[in-house]
Amino acid sequence: MEDGTAHDRHFLLAAGGLRGLLQNGPFVAAFIAFAIAQIAKVFTYYYTENKWDGTRIIGSGGMPSSHTSMVLGLTTALGVIGGTSSASFAMALIFSMVVMYDASGVRLHAGKQASVLNMIICELPPDHPVSDTRPLRDTLGHTPLQVAAGAVLGVVVGYLVGVSWSHPLPTLVP
């Protein structure tokens, strides 16, 4: 009986490992949509605040919603490549709806509550036990417009990647 190590190694080779993941159209679509959204946050922050903040590239919240663009990039690419009647598309679509609801609902309101708590903490006397608490992050969620912008970005990227994976460009070398 062979040990599990040989089996695991064979599985990774058969599954393609990292190379297989990078050749997976839906994964690539999700990753590209997420990256574009995160980079765009730096510029949209500058547009609204008139100052550059490079940390927006790794932060949550803001315009557009990178979580939404990621899940809709994945969902759209799955729909283009495998069809909208596939089980994977249906699962991804439900997952996308949950993520978008969470981004504009629960996380948005948690961020608003964090802002209020930060204001309350600032008003506490200096000798209060929580007066030296570091401020809570209040850019957690998204407005419906930010979610919609992320959705449009995700669908566009997912469609473009899905079409290119469905109909690969011809190779020049036989």
Side-chain angles (χ1 to χ4, degrees):
M1 183 169 183
E2 71 180 337
D3 64 28
T5 309
H7 174 70
D8 292 342
R9 194 171 26 242
H10 176 4
F11 173 75
L12 288 175
L13 293 175
L18 183 59
R19 175 183 250 166
L21 191 59
L22 295 176
Q23 294 173 344
N24 183 313
F27 174 81
V28 170
F31 183 81
I32 290 172
F34 181 82
I36 292 171
Q38 286 299 113
I39 292 167
K41 286 181 182 187
V42 174
F43 296 99
T44 58
Y45 184 82
Y46 177 78
Y47 179 76
T48 59
E49 302 295 324
N50 284 332
K51 62 181 178 177
W52 292 104
D53 183 5
T55 63
R56 299 303 308 146
I57 203 164
I58 59 170
S60 60
M63 170 72 96
S65 168
S66 56
H67 292 96
T68 299
S69 63
M70 180 174 56
V71 295
L72 278 177
L74 172 72
T75 302
T76 304
L78 283 169
V80 170
I81 294 169
T84 57
S85 63
S86 68
S88 59
F89 175 79
M91 288 189 315
L93 183 60
I94 296 299
F95 174 64
S96 296
M97 291 162 56
V98 169
V99 167
M100 291 186 297
Y101 175 79
D102 180 63
S104 64
V106 176
R107 288 178 43 227
L108 177 65
H109 292 289
K112 288 180 179 182
Q113 289 176 357
S115 293
V116 170
L117 288 172
N118 287 337
M119 287 188 277
I120 292 170
I121 290 171
C122 287
E123 299 296 322
L124 292 174
D127 60 338
H128 193 278
V130 296
S131 64
D132 61 348
T133 304
R134 102 184 137 95
L136 299 169
R137 284 187 26 220
D138 57 1
T139 54
L140 299 173
H142 297 281
T143 64
L145 179 62
Q146 293 168 340
V147 172
V152 170
L153 174 62
V155 168
V156 169
V157 170
Y159 178 78
L160 293 174
V161 171
V163 167
S164 69
W165 247 258
S166 297
H167 307 290
L169 297 173
T171 57
L172 298 176
V173 180

